[in-house]
Amino acid sequence: MTVTMMTSKEVTQKVMNKEHLFIFDVRNQSDFKDWKIEGENFSYLNIPYFDLLDGVEEMLDQFPKDQEIVVVCAKEGSSVMVAEMLSEAGLNVSYLQGGMKAWSEYLQPVKVSDLKDGGELYQFVRIGKGCLSYMVVSNGEAALIDATRMTDVYLDFAENMNVTITHIFDTHLHADHISGGRKIAKATNATYWLPPKDAEEVTFKYEALEDGKNVQIGNTQIDIQALYTPGHTIGSTSFIVDDSFLLSGDILFIDSIGRPDLAGMAEDWVGDLRESLYKRYKELSDELVVLPAHFMIIDELNDDGTVAAKLGDLFAHNHGLQIEDKGEFRALVTENLPPQPNAYQNIRKTNMGQITPNEEEQREMEIGPNRCAVR
């Protein structure tokens, strides 16, 4: 049987369509346990590559005969060799192109909605990393929010839409992934916006993103008024787009809330986090559709592939918004937190312009799951 290649795009479509897929992950068990490809109807087998060097004959009964099989490793090479062994044993098998490195970097654009005056709002789902970024398109112009370092995806998308990127925003100084904002701004001459309270140590010029700023994108207004929402970082800022969508950054997620410790300031910022979630957001319309900068678990994806929910529904069901006791809330977001993102300190320094790692170093810094949430 022939060994075929499966791309990250094809796997993503299977995730979003809730299809069945059998994943044979040949990375070390600790790597698999820490981070794997997730799908609602995916099945898994994890056996390290070095345990397979003598052949796969003794484990063939662990593979399904009526289900697609894809072999996954870190970079691709090992999965190709294992897939060939399984194919020679009679199984119909593929390998993941580029391995988990490619999976970490793939972005899937998903249309969220049309806007009132003819514009459109798109969500870019970084399926393997849990990152979400956005493009607002209106009347030949576009704005980006929380762009990743895979800048070509946004530039190509804008070109295909025949729009010019005029503004780029980061809701906060990211600690789990490298922002593509400055790079895209340089390539397009767009204005790059950053909350000044997060930018005290940056080495580059930016436009200060503060309360009271109203930015027009074509016919669509991004309203930043009264939406300074600190807590994940001291500068965290939310957006309301088209009076209908709340871009919440890393403050509020669909199934969790943001963590305040990635700058070493958990005890200082926990009060800000609660104020943003329980007061500032509470004053907003329940009908606003929340569009966060991350998702934590695959269950947060809707049937159409978007990660979104009405603010009122989150106040009814999100555990992080149900804690009346301030002491209990403080304990939730400061104690027993999940591990911090890989290389988060160097990622912050990169986003401040203090260090300039090469492309391969950036990839290594970002490898691993989303760890921006408290659940």
Side-chain angles (χ1 to χ4, degrees), residues 205-263:
K205 293 182 179 180
Y206 65 94
E207 193 70 23
L209 181 57
E210 299 174 307
D211 277 1
K213 295 282 188 181
N214 296 306
V215 181
Q216 195 81 14
I217 307 299
N219 297 325
T220 300
Q221 181 170 279
I222 297 181
D223 186 5
I224 308 163
Q225 182 95 22
L227 279 173
Y228 169 56
T229 47
H232 176 65
T233 67
I234 194 60
S236 292
T237 301
S238 301
F239 303 81
I240 290 179
V241 174
D242 210 33
D243 298 321
S244 301
F245 302 94
L246 172 63
L247 274 65
S248 59
D250 280 352
I251 288 291
L252 176 62
F253 308 115
I254 303 304
D255 195 52
S256 52
I257 59 176
R259 60 190 294 174
D261 67 310
L262 295 185

Side-chain angles (χ1 to χ4, degrees), residues 155 158 164-168 181-191:
L155 295 171
T164 300
I165 298 171
T166 56
H167 293 274
I168 301 162
R182 281 188 295 136
K183 185 176 179 180
I184 298 172
K186 185 176 181 180
T188 61
N189 292 316
T191 302

Side-chain angles (χ1 to χ4, degrees), residues 3 6 14 53 91 112 145 230 240 308 337 372:
V3 174
M6 189 176 293
K14 293 180 183 299
L53 296 179
L91 293 177
V112 176
I145 299 97
I240 290 179
L337 290 169
C372 283

Side-chain angles (χ1 to χ4, degrees), residues 12-30:
T12 298
Q13 291 303 315
K14 293 180 183 299
V15 173
M16 293 185 170
N17 295 335
K18 303 185 188 301
E19 297 177 32
H20 290 271
L21 182 66
F22 188 91
I23 293 179
F24 183 30
D25 195 312
V26 298
R27 294 175 298 150
N28 291 332
Q29 291 179 349
S30 58

